[in-house]
Amino acid sequence: MLLQMVLDQRGMAEFKRLKGKRASVSGVLFHSGNGNHQTDVLIDVSLISESR
């Protein structure tokens, strides 16, 4: 399943830092609401951390 992530500036910086690495993402799931959403389900990210 694909999810589109909704990131604030800090989350985007963390995403870029961890790109290509294994990571855990926490947040709130919600259903797409308009044509700008690229997946049926999105996640409003509250935390991204590196997984070991």
Side-chain angles (χ1 to χ4, degrees), residues 19-43:
K19 192 171 182 180
K21 297 180 181 178
R22 204 170 171 92
S24 296
V25 177
S26 298
V28 176
L29 298 175
F30 65 99
H31 196 275
S32 64
N34 64 47
N36 292 325
H37 297 152
Q38 298 175 10
T39 61
D40 290 337
V41 179
L42 294 86
I43 184 166

